Amino acid sequence: AVLRRTSQVRPLHGSGCGQQQEAIGMETRPETFSIFRTQENDPACQSEQHLGQYYTVPPSHFHTVFPHGLPPRYQQQVKTFNEGCVMVRQPALELISHLKRADYSKPTLRYLLYGVKGSGKTMSLCHTVHYCSTQGWLVLHIPDAHLWVKNCKELLPSSYHASRFDQPIQASNWLRNFRTTNEHFLSKIKLRQRYVWTKRESTEEGRPLGELVDMGVSRVKSSSDVVGAVLKELRLQAGGTEGGFRLAVAVDGVNGLWGRTTLKKEDKSPVAPEELTLVHNLRKMINNDWCGGAVIATLSQTGSLYAPSSAYLPQELLGEEGFDSMDPFVPVPVSLYSEKEFESCYLYYLDHIHFHHWLQHPHSQTEEGKKELIFLSNRNPSVLERLCAFL
Amino acid sequence: MQMQRLLLSTYFLFSPERRTANMAASGGRTVGSFLWKCGNCCFNFNTVSSNLTRQVLSRQLCVSAVLHRKNLAAAGPEKFSEEFIKKQVEEFNIGKRHLANMMGEDPETFTQGDINRSIAYLFPSGLFDKKAKPLMKHPDEDTFTKALAVEKHQDRLRGKDLFTQDAKQISLVGSRWLLKEELEELLVETISEHDYARFIQLMERLLSLPYCSVEEDFVQRYRRQLEIQSSKQQVQPLQYDQHGVAYSTGDGRRKTATGTVLLRDSGSGSISINGTNYVHYFPVLQDREQLMFPLHFMGVLGRFDMQCSVSGGGHSSQAGALRLAISRAMLSFLSEGQVETMRQAGLLTPDPRIKERKKPGQEGARRKFTWKKR
């Protein structure tokens, strides 16, 4: 008889190791552990022994922690498999260990994840973000800085600063997601300054942050300024002793902040990134003149503008200006899958494809098929994922 | 047996309109011997319905010129001897009586003409050739005369010790018949297609006869040898670099793209094309599959390291050129048999397709201009 599991959280099952063939129609033996999964779902407790294994993000946390940060293909995969499994990999573990040992009274350290396209930078970033949120940090996750410098339909001249431009839609979207992620902080943090939005509206000192964020979400026109205010407040209060919290700024595609934009003013002249309010404020955030947190950034060529597809090193993608601003930073290279990681990824897909969907190319389970997959994808995670999606 | 015959005769009586010839053909218990003579070959369905034995043997003897000899040569219990002929006559008579019973006539006064008419009635045939229609005749009349004459000839030969069991066949492998043009050249006269087809047919017939090896020279005059394909490949010997690692080069071309490959042994399956990784150079899966095919076919996927350089053409043709180059470079690492399998898989054949010329009066090679009615 065929076992169909439709429960929300899949119970851990085993498919054995190596190339064990399971005929269709055979019941799977429920084993407690598999080679490629681990029970350790808390990123804080993961260590080198868990390298290469998948841990499940508890579904309750999933939507709060990652409302907007995940790569789109991964989101589809989560929806298909009905669970969010992240692989424990070396770059993420390195980052987490740095974060554990860092001294938070000193100016913030900046970490930069870089690697070839599709090697897993965003996923490592998300892993770190999960760690930060489990540790009770306030997470400022910007899903893709490139989204702010291109494809913007509405550009309003900023009310605050004459030469700058506002992006209301992007700002309000981001504020909404920020609210979902950090619900519990919003009531705790109090504003230290009075903000005046229009002649009639202002936010007093001492009001909770949540009010500010709500205002930004509802009043779309001034949302970019709200973002700027939020960032400033958080910067001031992050290292504070009274009710101090740690601030994690996670920016994906940070090279977008210093490149060129595709946006144009009404007179068809290009807009430089500095002229955008959001970008301006974010740059201030990334500067290491505040303490009590960390800045984790990834480079991304995929969404970047005017960058050749073979570029992946920090100098190439950040450019002169970016590199100078980011300097000094801790570079964290993200490489392609190692043997072990490839093995577990392959087993993971096999397991899902075999067990949950009953679509299997019988050849893919054999040793030959595995060699073919290694060749075709060259152990590149995204390519492998795309390949396995066919099967 | 009696019972069966009775049943069958009653069956026939009750349904005289049943004209299925299957009656006779569905082995076993037919009532007589029906001889079906066709133009070229005769099939003789003999059913021995012996009175005593329970088993019904239905022996099929193909009395065609070919198989007749082979049968004799193989295991020849069936000799056209006198007793055999006597048996056949007996069977014919019994069959004649049964036929008369079927038609409701007197078996004693059943003449050959009556037999013919009843057969024509029971087994109507739409064939035009008289010889092809079913017939039932007394065995003495010209059935076995040919066979007997052949037998006599064979006995004479045996007497003279010329009747050797000769199973020698002319070897036809690796040669082909002459083409029509070559035959015309040989005979110094024009031949129509029909004639040529007939010629080939006759030669094939000649080859199918036994003892054709006697005329081997005659036959070989009209055959040409085919060149062996695989001997055309020149396999270069392996070269070794300073660390003792074997390497070889190969180049290939496809449709204006040229590629060269340096294949190194004992590697890890890493490939670099023009200095970049192959996953970046060929983002399309199809191109990478093309690269993979020669290695995967021979089962050496993780063994070689490759340094490739390619230029010209588009991405598909570059992939095809590299594939050919890889196959050629791999030749020096493989054995003869594997080279042959690669050749048969088509890995070593350069793809001859190129861009077709654009013709005047048309927009492209095949596309015509838009046709306007007026």
Side-chain angles (χ1 to χ4, degrees):
Chain A
V2 163
L3 268 184
R4 275 235 105 153
R5 317 264 182 122
T6 48
S7 56
Q8 180 69 333
V9 177
R10 305 245 166 228
L12 282 177
H13 54 270
S15 61
C17 55
Q19 272 69 52
Q20 233 176 26
Q21 320 287 334
E22 279 189 328
I24 307 175
M26 213 163 74
E27 276 191 12
T28 50
R29 296 175 296 279
E31 292 171 11
T32 357
F33 281 106
S34 324
I35 288 276
F36 57 90
R37 281 187 201 258
T38 171
Q39 295 274 43
E40 192 56 70
N41 283 349
D42 185 12
C45 312
Q46 284 158 0
S47 63
E48 274 84 30
Q49 65 188 109
H50 298 119
L51 267 183
Q53 294 182 333
Y54 279 88
Y55 82 94
T56 328
V57 178
S60 49
H61 286 176
F62 202 75
H63 291 293
T64 38
V65 177
F66 299 127
H68 55 172
L70 297 169
R73 277 202 79 96
Y74 183 73
Q75 278 173 355
Q76 279 174 0
Q77 186 188 304
V78 167
K79 212 161 82 173
T80 325
F81 291 165
N82 249 343
E83 62 177 351
C85 274
V86 182
M87 190 196 271
V88 176
R89 290 187 75 193
Q90 176 55 33
L93 275 185
E94 204 180 305
L95 258 183
I96 292 175
S97 63
H98 278 297
L99 289 174
K100 282 184 195 167
R101 289 179 312 208
D103 185 357
Y104 290 105
S105 52
K106 301 232 185 79
T108 42
L109 276 175
R110 284 157 321 175
Y111 307 93
L112 191 63
L113 288 160
Y114 69 96
V116 286
K117 196 155 76 161
S119 53
K121 303 181 281 287
T122 313
M123 287 310 295
S124 300
L125 186 72
C126 293
H127 189 171
T128 324
V129 161
H130 185 218
Y131 164 76
C132 296
S133 68
T134 50
Q135 295 292 306
W137 293 29
L138 204 160
V139 172
L140 218 73
H141 189 39
I142 288 112
D144 197 356
H146 293 300
L147 294 176
W148 290 355
V149 299
K150 57 178 178 175
N151 296 345
C152 179
K153 296 280 169 22
E154 290 183 10
L155 260 190
L156 302 174
S158 167
S159 47
Y160 186 68
H161 205 273
S163 61
R164 291 208 212 124
F165 292 95
D166 266 359
Q167 286 151 304
I169 318 171
Q170 275 91 343
S172 53
N173 272 341
W174 185 79
L175 278 173
R176 213 172 298 135
N177 287 326
F178 173 71
R179 189 169 52 183
T180 335
T181 323
N182 300 306
E183 292 275 5
H184 47 282
F185 279 108
L186 295 178
S187 44
K188 280 198 264 174
I189 304 175
K190 306 279 183 248
L191 299 180
R192 289 208 190 144
Q193 200 195 318
R194 183 168 181 263
Y195 294 100
V196 181
W197 307 118
T198 58
K199 278 189 219 152
R200 273 172 243 170
E201 281 169 16
S202 62
T203 319
E204 301 302 324
E205 203 179 308
R207 307 295 296 162
L209 196 63
E211 212 183 282
L212 194 61
V213 175
D214 290 328
M215 218 215 73
V217 173
S218 48
R219 295 233 197 272
V220 181
K221 262 201 177 162
S222 42
S223 46
S224 322
D225 293 325
V226 170
V227 171
V230 164
L231 292 181
K232 192 159 140 198
E233 284 297 318
L234 292 174
R235 221 172 31 241
L236 290 173
Q237 299 193 15
T241 37
E242 77 307 313
F245 57 90
R246 303 254 180 90
L247 183 60
V249 183
V251 189
D252 203 343
V254 79
N255 49 320
L257 298 178
W258 288 284
R260 290 148 65 183
T261 68
T262 43
L263 308 173
K264 292 210 181 19
K265 299 180 233 188
E266 276 102 19
D267 52 355
K268 305 282 175 73
S269 59
V271 176
E274 299 82 42
E275 296 178 15
L276 294 168
T277 346
L278 290 173
V279 176
H280 182 83
N281 291 320
L282 196 55
R283 281 199 200 172
K284 282 199 266 184
M285 212 54 197
I286 298 184
N287 279 336
N288 57 351
D289 50 3
W290 53 282
C291 47
V295 176
I296 315 152
T298 47
L299 293 178
S300 168
Q301 195 280 322
T302 324
S304 73
L305 305 159
Y306 308 107
S309 64
S310 51
Y312 71 98
L313 293 171
Q315 287 107 316
E316 296 163 352
L317 283 176
L318 281 175
E320 284 264 0
E321 205 190 321
F323 200 78
D324 292 332
S325 342
M326 284 294 284
D327 204 24
F329 61 88
V330 178
V332 183
V334 181
S335 57
L336 303 174
Y337 277 155
S338 67
E339 289 265 359
K340 188 169 169 226
E341 289 173 345
F342 180 84
E343 178 87 31
S344 62
C345 182
Y346 169 72
L347 286 173
Y348 177 70
Y349 285 131
L350 213 63
D351 179 49
H352 273 273
I353 291 164
H354 168 79
F355 186 72
H356 299 293
H357 298 278
W358 301 107
L359 292 171
Q360 43 178 334
H361 197 266
H363 190 59
S364 64
Q365 283 183 347
T366 62
E367 188 61 39
E368 280 293 316
K370 196 162 142 223
K371 279 199 209 160
E372 277 181 47
L373 282 175
I374 297 181
F375 185 96
L376 285 176
S377 63
N378 200 26
R379 298 212 182 87
N380 189 317
S382 64
V383 178
L384 181 63
E385 195 261 317
R386 261 166 243 261
L387 276 180
C388 294
F390 292 144
L391 304 172
Chain B
M1 222 16 74
Q2 305 273 358
M3 196 58 185
Q4 284 165 349
R5 242 192 256 150
L6 200 60
L7 278 172
L8 235 134
S9 48
T10 46
Y11 178 73
F12 268 114
L13 278 171
F14 283 164
S15 52
E17 284 88 44
R18 289 212 45 133
R19 295 152 171 209
T20 46
N22 290 337
M23 286 302 129
S26 64
R29 295 167 257 107
T30 47
V31 186
S33 61
F34 297 105
L35 308 176
W36 307 67
K37 262 197 193 164
C38 303
N40 291 327
C41 53
C42 12
F43 287 93
N44 193 348
F45 285 102
N46 278 325
T47 60
V48 178
S49 52
S50 63
N51 295 329
L52 301 172
T53 53
R54 285 188 70 240
Q55 271 177 340
V56 179
L57 303 161
S58 58
R59 250 186 247 133
Q60 268 180 359
L61 274 187
C62 280
V63 189
S64 74
V66 182
L67 301 167
H68 164 69
R69 292 279 180 118
K70 283 202 183 141
N71 254 348
L72 285 185
E78 283 293 349
K79 293 263 179 168
F80 289 103
S81 49
E82 296 301 317
E83 18 179 292
F84 178 75
I85 297 186
K86 263 192 225 149
K87 244 196 296 186
Q88 297 294 315
V89 172
E90 243 176 63
E91 283 190 3
F92 171 75
N93 286 328
I94 297 173
K96 197 168 90 167
R97 296 182 77 81
H98 276 295
L99 190 60
N101 276 331
M102 269 189 248
M103 299 305 290
E105 300 200 19
D106 187 13
E108 306 301 325
T109 55
F110 209 54
T111 59
Q112 184 58 45
D114 291 330
I115 298 178
N116 291 343
R117 260 184 291 113
S118 358
I119 294 289
Y121 172 70
L122 287 172
F123 303 103
S125 144
L127 306 168
F128 289 111
D129 193 359
K130 291 266 175 9
K131 285 199 229 161
K133 293 185 186 164
L135 71 99
M136 184 168 164
K137 279 222 180 102
H138 194 92
D140 281 343
E141 301 170 30
D142 122 306
T143 320
F144 298 111
T145 39
K146 258 200 232 168
L148 281 175
V150 159
E151 273 251 304
K152 263 195 227 160
H153 179 74
Q154 277 192 340
D155 291 334
R156 251 183 275 134
L157 285 181
R158 262 191 221 106
K160 291 191 201 163
D161 262 339
L162 290 172
F163 193 74
T164 44
Q165 292 288 342
D166 202 358
K168 219 174 24 165
Q169 293 286 328
I170 310 183
S171 132
L172 300 170
V173 174
S175 57
R176 58 165 176 86
W177 288 117
L178 278 188
L179 295 174
K180 182 158 163 291
E181 292 75 20
E182 291 168 355
L183 190 61
E184 284 179 0
E185 209 181 345
L186 191 68
L187 300 176
V188 197
E189 64 171 308
T190 48
I191 309 173
S192 76
E193 271 184 36
H194 194 73
D195 286 338
Y196 178 67
R198 181 78 183 140
F199 165 72
I200 296 293
Q201 209 179 8
L202 288 172
M203 295 301 279
E204 292 287 338
R205 174 108 188 251
L206 180 65
L207 286 177
S208 63
L209 298 173
Y211 298 104
C212 53
S213 44
V214 174
E215 298 298 327
E216 187 169 343
D217 299 324
F218 173 72
V219 170
Q220 291 291 6
R221 236 188 291 157
Y222 296 99
R223 288 192 77 94
R224 288 278 174 276
Q225 290 297 112
L226 295 166
E227 312 95 23
I228 309 166
Q229 288 292 324
S230 57
S231 60
K232 275 191 186 166
Q233 293 295 334
Q234 282 130 9
V235 178
Q236 286 167 352
L238 275 183
Q239 297 155 35
Y240 292 85
D241 68 354
Q242 68 253 45
H243 298 289
V245 175
Y247 72 93
S248 73
T249 53
D251 44 68
R253 228 194 293 223
R254 164 108 209 267
K255 207 194 188 189
T256 56
T258 49
T260 49
V261 159
L262 184 82
L263 209 64
R264 254 193 266 268
D265 204 351
S266 50
S268 58
S270 70
I271 307 183
S272 74
I273 307 184
N274 283 354
T276 57
N277 199 8
Y278 64 112
V279 178
H280 289 296
Y281 196 80
F282 286 132
V284 181
L285 180 68
Q286 184 190 358
D287 300 337
R288 271 176 279 145
E289 277 186 354
Q290 287 285 302
L291 284 190
M292 187 177 79
F293 180 41
L295 306 173
H296 177 247
F297 187 71
M298 304 316 303
V300 290
L301 265 183
R303 189 171 137 194
F304 293 110
D305 273 339
M306 284 189 262
Q307 272 169 286
C308 325
S309 61
V310 69
S311 64
H315 66 98
S316 253
S317 44
Q318 280 183 348
L322 278 181
R323 181 181 111 167
L324 185 59
I326 292 172
S327 323
R328 286 201 183 140
M330 265 170 67
L331 284 181
S332 28
F333 288 97
L334 300 175
S335 65
E336 279 288 327
Q338 286 173 315
V339 166
E340 185 56 29
T341 42
M342 280 216 350
R343 183 190 70 79
Q344 285 181 354
L347 279 169
L348 301 173
T349 333
D351 201 333
R353 300 178 281 180
I354 49 169
K355 197 160 171 179
E356 203 175 304
R357 179 207 147 172
K358 173 199 176 316
K359 285 101 190 174
Q362 293 175 1
E363 199 172 303
R366 299 282 173 101
R367 160 127 174 93
K368 322 282 185 273
F369 289 122
T370 321
W371 180 71
K372 296 237 172 62
K373 201 162 178 181
R374 51 186 66 85

